[in-house]
Amino acid sequence: MKSSVTGGMSIGEVAGRFGLATHVLRHWESMGLLEPARAAGDRRRYRDTDLYRIAVILRAKEAGMELTEIHEMLTARDPAQRRAILDRRRTDLARRIATLQTSLDLVDGALQCEHEDFTECERFQRIVAERIDMGLRTV
């Protein structure tokens, strides 16, 4: 147990600052992602290092990482292990971005089509046909 400290932010202040519910911070603490200091009455007190850790967790979640993966990354002692975790995430993100770009191309193609019915547009039909071809390659 950490020694009693003064200063820092309360769990409610931190939750409000990041737009989180307090139970989220408690859950992250129970998983070993956070270790806030304790003040009188066993109240959590969050310091700048805790705020930084919360920001890392949020950014990692925004990148699609699961909490267990974030924990693995944050607790890894070997920098190569942390890099491997990030490399796997990067590969997944690149795949997702490519998929989303294809979806955006489809929507843009439909919006830019001069046909009254965009499903008659050659560009739209070509993009849809590419998806059919992709399906044949995965079988």
Side-chain angles (χ1 to χ4, degrees), residues 25-128:
L25 296 172
R26 288 187 196 96
H27 177 65
W28 291 353
E29 184 179 350
S30 74
M31 290 188 66
L33 290 167
L34 296 174
E35 291 184 52
R38 299 292 179 155
D42 204 32
R43 294 187 180 275
R44 293 167 179 84
R45 300 307 296 176
Y46 293 84
R47 306 274 182 151
D48 289 344
T49 55
D50 298 307
L51 300 182
Y52 182 84
R53 176 65 74 103
I54 292 166
V56 168
I57 294 166
L58 289 171
R59 289 291 187 189
K61 284 179 61 57
E62 290 164 2
M65 294 178 78
E66 300 289 329
L67 289 177
T68 53
E69 190 178 20
I70 296 167
H71 182 270
E72 181 184 355
M73 181 184 67
L74 292 176
T75 59
R77 296 193 187 279
D78 180 14
Q81 186 180 6
R82 286 191 295 271
R83 287 181 92 49
I85 293 165
L86 290 175
D87 187 51
R88 285 193 310 264
R89 179 54 44 202
R90 189 196 184 289
T91 299
D92 181 61
L93 284 170
R95 181 192 54 75
R96 289 173 42 205
I97 288 168
T99 299
L100 288 170
Q101 184 61 56
T102 301
S103 298
L104 182 60
D105 290 346
L106 175 73
V107 171
D108 283 346
L111 290 172
Q112 294 168 4
C113 178
E114 295 181 8
H115 288 84
E116 185 175 326
D117 180 358
F118 67 84
T119 62
E120 296 176 9
C121 176
E122 287 180 34
R123 182 168 185 239
F124 180 85
Q125 291 173 355
R126 187 176 59 251
I127 292 170
V128 172

